[in-house]
Amino acid sequence: MLSDKLKIVLASTFSLYLKTHNFHWNVEGPYFSQLHELFKTQYDEIHSSIDDIAEKIRMLDTYAPGSYERFQELSIIPSELKIPTSSNMILRLIADHEKMIDLLNETFNVAEQEKNQAIMDFLSGRLDAHAKHRWMLVATSKTGR
Ligand SMILES: [Fe+2]
């Protein structure tokens, strides 16, 4: 069901928002200021999508989850309990954006089966945003050339 998929998208987006904000706070090393800024740009954009995802769930006449317990049950994004090195922060976020892209594609297919064009359009925007975040992290992870 589309609403069930969107609940996973909401919980996963919230988890990735929190992880990216965590990395903004705790990043260290010679590229501190660039990574601190890049993570801020990304957590701001991710955070700005959360309300819209929850409201899409409400438009399907179901309730939106909104507790850490439910988010932990639903999210596909692994929590970060330790502080990784800056290069591992980048690699983990790349993997997480790839998971988000897969999840959003699956959710798009369900929206298409249910002929919900408004949600298909919304999910396309989220796919584009995560693809852009992923690209910037991949470009940042390359060693100089
Ligand atoms: Fe800050």
Side-chain angles (χ1 to χ4, degrees):
M1 230 165 102
L2 181 55
S3 57
D4 292 332
K5 276 299 217 189
L6 283 172
K7 289 176 191 180
I8 299 171
V9 171
L10 175 63
S12 303
T13 303
F14 196 96
S15 302
L16 183 51
Y17 152 72
L18 182 60
K19 188 186 287 188
T20 308
H21 207 152
N22 170 3
F23 290 174
H24 165 82
W25 292 325
N26 291 307
V27 67
E28 289 178 326
Y31 302 107
F32 168 81
S33 64
Q34 281 160 274
L35 292 175
H36 184 68
E37 271 311 302
L38 176 64
F39 295 156
K40 177 173 168 45
T41 304
Q42 297 197 343
Y43 79 68
D44 274 342
E45 191 287 323
I46 298 167
H47 186 264
S48 73
S49 74
I50 289 169
D51 190 57
D52 287 335
I53 301 167
E55 290 182 2
K56 294 283 180 276
I57 294 169
R58 295 293 296 126
M59 285 180 217
L60 294 170
D61 288 326
T62 53
Y63 293 109
S67 65
Y68 286 117
E69 287 82 356
R70 281 291 282 145
F71 283 170
Q72 201 157 22
E73 281 170 12
L74 292 165
S75 173
I76 61 158
I77 301 299
S79 300
E80 195 65 67
L81 300 176
K82 295 191 174 158
I83 308 300
T85 61
S86 63
S87 49
N88 278 331
M89 286 179 177
I90 294 167
L91 294 177
R92 287 185 201 174
L93 291 177
I94 291 169
D96 289 345
H97 285 287
E98 287 171 354
K99 287 195 185 87
M100 285 303 306
I101 289 166
D102 289 345
L103 173 64
L104 288 161
N105 274 317
E106 287 166 20
T107 310
F108 184 96
N109 290 338
V110 177
E112 195 170 28
Q113 282 158 21
E114 297 192 13
K115 298 186 176 24
N116 191 323
Q117 294 193 9
I119 290 187
M120 287 161 66
D121 183 56
F122 173 71
L123 293 169
S124 296
R126 294 313 306 147
L127 275 162
D128 190 54
H130 285 285
K132 185 170 179 181
H133 297 322
R134 179 192 167 279
W135 158 55
M136 291 197 169
L137 291 160
V138 169
T140 305
S141 74
K142 297 271 165 84
T143 46
R145 32 187 247 145

